[in-house]
C-alpha cells in the first residue's frame, strides 16, 4: 500500500502563488504517473495536471499558463506550482499516483487552497 502525503496548501489573495508538494511512501519502484486533482464545494473532482515518469505532462485548460506540474528531485514526488491564483481556484487539492486502466489507484488526503478576492 502506497501512501501519499501532501503539503503546501493555504490561503492567499488573488494574484498570489502557492506550491503544493506530494511525496509517495514508495521510493524504490518508479510510479508511472502522478497527478493533482481538485474539488471545489458542490463541484465534481477534476484533473488539474498530470506527469508521467517519462516527463509527459497534461494540464487542464483552466490552469494552463498559470500552473506548472513537475516531478521532484526525489523519486516519486510531484510538485504543483500555482501562480496568478484566482478565487475560482479555491478547492481541496488531491495528489494521485499509479495510473491503472485510466484511473489513479492511490490518493492523498487532500490539502485546502483558498484564494480570496
Amino acid at each position: 500500500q502506497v501512501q501519499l502525503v501532501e503539503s503546501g496548501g493555504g490561503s492567499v489573495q488573488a494574484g498570489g502563488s502557492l506550491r503544493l508538494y506530494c511525496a509517495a511512501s514508495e521510493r524504490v519502484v518508479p510510479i508511472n504517473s502522478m497527478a493533482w486533482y481538485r474539488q471545489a464545494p458542490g463541484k465534481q473532482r477534476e484533473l488539474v495536471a498530470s506527469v508521467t515518469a517519462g516527463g509527459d505532462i497534461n494540464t487542464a485548460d483552466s490552469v494552463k499558463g498559470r500552473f506548472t506540474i513537475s516531478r521532484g528531485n526525489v523519486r516519486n514526488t510531484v510538485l504543483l506550482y500555482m501562480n496568478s491564483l484566482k478565487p475560482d481556484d479555491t478547492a481541496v487539492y488531491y495528489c494521485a499516483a499509479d495510473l491503472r486502466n485510466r484511473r489513479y489507484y492511490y490518493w492523498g488526503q487532500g490539502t485546502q487552497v483558498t484564494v480570496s478576492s
Side-chain angles (χ1 to χ4, degrees), residues 19-107:
R19 186 195 75 166
L20 303 184
Y21 180 81
C22 173
S25 56
E26 170 59 60
R27 294 299 179 89
V28 177
V29 178
I31 294 176
N32 60 0
S33 179
M34 299 185 75
W36 288 97
Y37 281 74
R38 68 184 181 185
Q39 186 166 20
K43 295 186 178 180
Q44 288 189 332
R45 185 173 58 191
E46 62 176 357
L47 174 68
V48 176
S50 64
V51 58
T52 68
D56 293 328
I57 289 174
N58 180 36
T59 306
D61 288 342
S62 60
V63 303
K64 274 182 181 176
R66 301 188 298 120
F67 291 12
T68 302
I69 190 171
S70 69
R71 299 292 283 248
N73 292 329
V74 176
R75 178 173 288 167
N76 297 337
T77 61
V78 64
L79 297 97
L80 184 68
Y81 297 91
M82 304 185 293
N83 297 314
S84 301
L85 282 160
K86 305 175 181 179
D88 284 349
D89 296 318
T90 295
V92 177
Y93 284 70
Y94 296 92
C95 178
D98 195 0
L99 189 63
R100 305 183 190 181
N101 297 319
R102 300 184 180 182
R103 302 185 73 171
Y104 283 95
Y105 196 74
Y106 299 109
W107 291 85

